[in-house]
Amino acid sequence: MTQSPHLAFRALADPTRREIMRLLTEQDMTIAQVSDQFDMTRAAVKKHLTMLSDGGLITTEVRGRERLNRLNPAGLAPVFDWLSFFDRFWDARLNDLKTAIEGESDD
Amino acid sequence: MTQSPHLAFRALADPTRREIMRLLTEQDMTIAQVSDQFDMTRAAVKKHLTMLSDGGLITTEVRGRERLNRLNPAGLAPVFDWLSFFDRFWDARLNDLKTAIEGESDD
DNA sequence: TTGACGTGAAACCAAAAGGTATCGCATTAA
DNA sequence: TTAATGCGATACCTTTTGGTTTCACGTCAA
């Protein structure tokens, strides 16, 4: 029962949200902790976290007055699922894909 | 020399553009042919095709007064590259979630 | 109990996204 | 040569997105 990839793809469209996902691979973080990593207000970060949650890419755990944001890698399943459709065209039209993936990339 | 995933992720954020990519797996299509598949004007489809091209997900070949749009699966490389960062968290987190937590309060 | 802390939520704004209608231009067909 | 075709480009509109400021509310510490 793979869910629609729509909200996940939309959540991944913004560089800030992708960076938040990277941050959350290191540790769970409160909103304030995430906000410290960006040059924007806590309210703006909160909106990004909401979109990430809507896309199923993070989960939250309320602990007292804090709210811990946690990466949910399983939320990437619909994305991988959609992308897997192109696997066969990958090989058919492109031979040296693996060399293309070699490099590192940033935003 | 993998390019930035930004424009590719942005191009994938819209359902119409993802559907266009699916269509182009079947055959190369002119703008008019793509437009026939959607309930919107040719100009709107053209904008989507431009964003797909900006993201490196399609290429175009001008043939006389026609312009053939062709899927470029290699353009997905930056996307796969970025997503591959989360591969290692995939299994680990899934195991943690399954063993430690039973109910998810995420919706 | 008081007050600081972490957050949620709302109002507001500028810019981008997604769409339309319309015009012009190069190419092709009659 | 003339007219239809396929497309590019522009102006314009509405909605969404990404950001701010401000305020209210529950929680925790002193």
Side-chain angles (χ1 to χ4, degrees):
Chain A
M1 49 185 258
T2 303
Q3 52 195 11
S4 164
H6 182 202
L7 295 182
F9 269 115
R10 199 184 57 171
L12 290 174
D14 185 85
T16 298
R17 290 194 287 270
R18 292 198 299 276
E19 182 58 27
I20 289 177
M21 287 194 66
R22 288 235 192 208
L23 287 173
L24 292 182
T25 61
E26 301 175 4
Q27 60 173 344
D28 302 342
M29 300 174 83
T30 65
I31 296 183
Q33 284 176 313
V34 176
S35 299
D36 286 344
Q37 305 298 316
F38 296 94
D39 187 23
M40 65 181 70
T41 63
R42 183 182 52 78
V45 170
K46 171 62 165 62
K47 288 188 180 181
H48 285 308
L49 290 170
T50 297
M51 297 190 74
L52 285 170
S53 178
D54 289 347
L57 301 179
I58 68 171
T59 60
T60 58
E61 178 189 346
V62 177
R63 288 203 325 194
R65 63 183 166 184
E66 293 185 347
R67 172 180 285 258
L68 266 190
N69 297 275
R70 173 172 301 150
L71 187 70
N72 181 38
L76 289 174
V79 176
F80 278 111
D81 186 40
W82 189 89
L83 289 173
S84 70
F85 178 79
F86 295 90
D87 280 349
R88 51 182 159 142
F89 304 101
W90 200 277
D91 289 334
R93 300 202 184 195
L94 185 75
N95 291 331
D96 52 1
L97 165 67
K98 291 187 177 179
T99 60
I101 295 188
E102 284 305 301
E104 274 273 316
S105 65
D106 279 308
D107 275 326
Chain B
M1 45 190 278
T2 302
Q3 53 195 12
S4 164
H6 182 202
L7 295 181
F9 269 115
R10 197 184 59 171
L12 289 174
D14 186 85
T16 297
R17 291 194 287 270
R18 293 197 299 273
E19 181 59 26
I20 289 177
M21 288 193 66
R22 288 232 191 214
L23 286 172
L24 292 182
T25 60
E26 301 174 3
Q27 60 172 343
D28 302 342
M29 301 175 83
T30 65
I31 296 183
Q33 284 176 313
V34 175
S35 298
D36 286 344
Q37 305 297 316
F38 296 94
D39 187 24
M40 64 181 71
T41 63
R42 182 181 53 77
V45 169
K46 171 62 164 62
K47 288 188 180 180
H48 285 307
L49 290 171
T50 296
M51 296 190 75
L52 284 170
S53 177
D54 289 346
L57 301 179
I58 67 172
T59 59
T60 59
E61 178 189 345
V62 177
R63 289 201 326 191
R65 64 181 168 186
E66 293 184 345
R67 172 180 285 258
L68 266 189
N69 297 275
R70 173 171 302 149
L71 187 69
N72 181 38
L76 288 175
V79 176
F80 278 110
D81 186 39
W82 189 89
L83 289 173
S84 69
F85 178 79
F86 295 90
D87 279 348
R88 52 184 154 141
F89 304 101
W90 193 279
D91 291 333
R93 290 281 183 161
L94 279 185
N95 284 336
D96 287 349
L97 288 178
K98 285 186 177 179
T99 55
I101 306 178
E102 281 295 351
E104 282 285 314
S105 61
D106 164 55
D107 245 317

